[in-house]
Amino acid sequence: MTRPGETPTGAPAEPPSRLHGAAFAAGFVLSAAGLALAVNQVFNLGLFGFRPISTAFHYLVIGLFGAVALLAFPATRRQARRVPWFDWLLAAALAGLGLWLATEALTIQLRGWNATAPGWATVLAGLFVALVLEGVRRTGETILFVVCLAFGAYPLFADAMPGFLWGVQLDLSGTIQEHVFGTESIIGIPMQVVADMLIGFLVFGVVLAATGGASFFMNFALALMGASRGGPAKVAVVSSALFGMLSGSPTSNVLTTGTLTIPTMKRCGYAPHYAGAVEACASTGGALMPPVMGAAAFIMASFLNVPYAEVVVAAALPSLLYYLALFVQTDLYAVRHRLLGVAREAIPPLLPTLLGGWHYLAAIVGLTVLLVAYRIEAEAPFWVSLFLLAVALLRRRATEFGWAAFARLIVASGEAVARLVALIAGIGLIVGGMSVTGVANSFSRELVQYAGGNIALLLTFGALTSFVLGMGMTASACYIFLAIVLAPALVAAGLDPMASHLYVLYWGLVSFITPPVALAAIAAAFVAKASPMRTAVTSLRIGILLMLLPVFFVLQPALILKGEPAAILRATITACAAIVLLAAATEGHLYRFGWLPAWTRVAVGTGALLMLAPEPITDLVGLGIAAAAILAARLLRSG
């Protein structure tokens, strides 16, 4: 029997949408208006002569999609299935305030309302801040709401803080004015990135799922390698990588592809906790896999002031190495436990699968080309989404994609955008609070001074801070916070800027597979009907490279494809060999050797870690240690 709050597979169910009836109609109107506004702005269409300035556009995005968030996400669990009257009132108020701010946007800029706004405008701005905080409370974790509130209020008591936490103090009116009318807070860089660039990618993710993309990637991976030893685990790795690279959400990836891959893995002999761990690790890596990678990567490009294509190129090799590690580990597990693949009759034929879903692969290729070659980041996802919708309509007899499905897609897109807009508007209060007080700059400067130039100390502090914040904050929130206070310190210490920002991003995602939170692992454990803690611990063991890779590429930029071609080639070959050895140490089995005793596993793992270090001498020493341990084990076994 399916328990409340679960899907029939045992996975934690997504909260049922409150948007039905009148709320669905309101959500459709608001979402359609918001999406049309975004298309008008991104393509500079000037529909009906409407060309708002950038700040007016950002206010409208918050007003429209913020209203959707207040309608779609309940204030308490008791309102999970209906929209009470006060939510209608709050949604109308936020939409109205967004429209008012948009109409006053030019006046706000010309008259400097961030410093000298009229009293009545400050009161309305205070109401806007309160609604933004309510939006982040509903769409994020409680800890994120508390952090947004605390840092949003930071200017009120910044002058009473000690040391490098001291900052410029503002009164309540001044704080509200900076948050709402300034361009460093609610409508700062994070919101600018979401409104100007990310809406299209969120729509693309919804279109991909609504038109059957997840099922195609699953069948495609199954047709390619389902019959190989341990095939279902390899299918999980490949399908989660393909779908995750486009969706960018670890937990939703688990609940999409995992409901198919995990039961198949179990049927083929994988232990339930191991099957859940494989899916959790594969889904988490999707948030780091180009070309989409999630919201944080686009914000990173804006912080670094580089084209998004540079982030894609830099992230490509580390993510491929991570998935290589998962692939090899699942294969070694299958060898050690003598697991077979899926029965031939249960595997879809490759050619019909490709003919039925070629457009999804074309979408990936097209999106990558538009991002990397043509560098039209904002427009690219809209074109690819239009392509997928056109194919779905042409094949509507098979897909059953009609007007009702289109309406649901618009509302689902609106909900996806609304969740991110609500979160990022709240996170903007953190950015604003630290920027207007000057604490962001002093924090990173003092951090470098206290570390005394010790790179290891800075990296350790960054890893621990990222991990702790990642427990209660979204990856985007964690990244934005640390990109302001920590990444500048790493760069000031002499590390590569791109590597420093990727370091923060990677460690912010570690908590998805690491106890005690491990959201992706726990979701996978429910699907697998396994112990959540055991699944999380196994996820940490399988996905250990997620923690190690950022340390190595920040010390060796060749792993993010920076440097001479010879150095990049050497680093890539060495890393691949090290990953095979590390996988063998983790699983206790080595190709053409067999089972590894405990002492050999420790020696081989140590050698693999040395090979991942940046110096050529450590490569040789690490390889020597691993080879000596394997040779000694063989001699002892034969003797």
Side-chain angles (χ1 to χ4, degrees), residues 98-443:
L99 180 60
W100 165 69
L101 286 165
T103 58
E104 297 287 351
L106 191 58
T107 302
I108 290 170
Q109 283 188 359
L110 295 178
R111 297 188 180 179
W113 277 16
N114 63 310
T116 57
W120 62 270
T122 303
V123 171
L124 291 177
L127 177 58
F128 187 74
V129 171
L131 291 172
V132 164
L133 284 169
E134 174 61 9
V136 79
R137 186 188 71 83
R138 295 188 184 200
T139 54
E141 299 291 334
T142 302
I143 187 173
L144 179 57
F145 166 74
V146 172
V147 170
C148 291
L149 179 62
F151 279 95
Y154 198 83
L156 299 176
F157 51 82
D159 67 330
M161 300 301 289
F164 59 83
L165 296 177
W166 182 92
V168 177
Q169 185 191 22
L170 299 175
D171 59 16
L172 181 60
S173 296
T175 301
I176 291 173
Q177 289 167 9
E178 285 288 357
H179 281 316
V180 178
F181 302 131
T183 56
E184 292 186 337
S185 186
I186 292 177
I187 60 167
I189 288 179
M191 182 56 67
Q192 292 166 23
V193 172
V194 171
D196 297 343
M197 189 178 300
L198 269 178
I199 291 177
F201 286 93
L202 294 169
V203 172
F204 172 61
V206 173
V207 171
L208 185 74
T211 56
S215 298
F216 165 74
F217 289 131
M218 176 65 60
N219 290 331
F220 178 60
L222 195 60
L224 281 178
M225 58 193 67
S228 63
R229 64 189 178 200
K234 297 171 185 175
V235 170
V237 172
V238 173
S239 61
S240 294
L242 289 172
F243 187 70
M245 72 167 63
L246 302 174
S247 70
S249 174
T251 306
S252 66
N253 199 356
V254 168
L255 298 177
T256 302
T257 61
T259 53
L260 300 173
T261 60
I262 292 174
T264 309
M265 280 190 274
K266 289 171 62 180
R267 285 196 297 270
C268 287
Y270 283 92
H273 69 278
Y274 193 92
V278 168
E279 179 58 44
C281 291
S283 294
T284 300
L288 301 166
M289 188 73 175
V292 178
M293 297 176 61
F298 292 90
I299 298 171
M300 181 192 304
S302 184
F303 275 137
L304 290 169
N305 195 27
V306 298
Y308 178 66
E310 289 191 23
V311 178
V312 168
V313 171
L317 181 57
S319 55
L320 289 173
L321 292 174
Y322 174 73
Y323 275 107
L324 173 64
L326 293 182
F327 194 91
V328 173
Q329 284 182 90
T330 56
D331 188 52
L332 287 172
Y333 184 97
V335 173
R336 182 179 178 185
H337 293 85
R338 299 182 179 179
L339 302 182
L340 301 176
V342 179
R344 289 284 182 182
E345 57 271 17
I347 297 176
L350 180 59
L351 186 58
T353 300
L354 281 174
L355 291 176
W358 61 270
H359 49 287
Y360 297 113
L361 295 178
I364 294 178
V365 174
L367 183 63
T368 305
V369 169
L370 291 175
L371 288 175
V372 177
Y374 292 92
R375 299 193 174 186
I376 50 172
E377 291 94 344
E379 297 94 332
F382 285 109
W383 286 119
V384 180
S385 299
L386 186 62
F387 165 72
L388 289 177
L389 285 174
V391 174
L393 287 172
L394 289 173
R395 302 174 64 232
R396 57 183 174 274
R397 289 186 178 179
T399 60
E400 298 182 354
F401 190 83
W403 286 110
F406 180 75
R408 290 193 297 269
L409 186 147
I410 293 295
V411 174
S413 299
E415 287 187 79
V417 177
R419 182 189 290 272
L420 186 60
V421 165
L423 287 171
I424 295 298
I427 294 166
L429 294 171
I430 302 175
V431 179
M434 301 190 72
S435 296
V436 299
T437 57
V439 170
N441 293 330
S442 62
F443 187 94

Side-chain angles (χ1 to χ4, degrees), residues 8-75:
T9 61
E14 289 288 322
S17 176
R18 299 197 303 169
L19 299 184
H20 48 80
F24 182 89
F28 177 82
V29 171
L30 289 168
S31 300
L35 295 176
L37 177 69
V39 170
N40 181 66
Q41 195 77 3
V42 166
F43 290 93
N44 195 26
L45 299 178
L47 295 174
F48 306 108
F50 183 60
R51 296 178 183 272
I53 61 173
S54 60
T55 54
F57 170 61
H58 300 147
Y59 286 131
L60 284 172
V61 165
I62 296 173
L64 291 171
F65 290 111
V68 174
L70 293 174
L71 291 175
F73 302 101

Side-chain angles (χ1 to χ4, degrees), residues 77-111:
R77 292 183 180 180
R78 293 182 179 181
Q79 284 96 38
R81 294 184 178 276
R82 63 182 183 86
V83 181
W85 64 269
F86 54 83
D87 277 354
W88 286 101
L89 184 62
L90 294 178
L94 185 52
L97 287 170
L99 180 60
W100 165 69
L101 286 165
T103 58
E104 297 287 351
L106 191 58
T107 302
I108 290 170
Q109 283 188 359
L110 295 178
R111 297 188 180 179

Side-chain angles (χ1 to χ4, degrees), residues 1-7 10-13 81 526:
M1 179 180 293
T2 304
R3 293 178 294 180
E6 292 185 358
T7 64
R81 294 184 178 276
F526 274 103

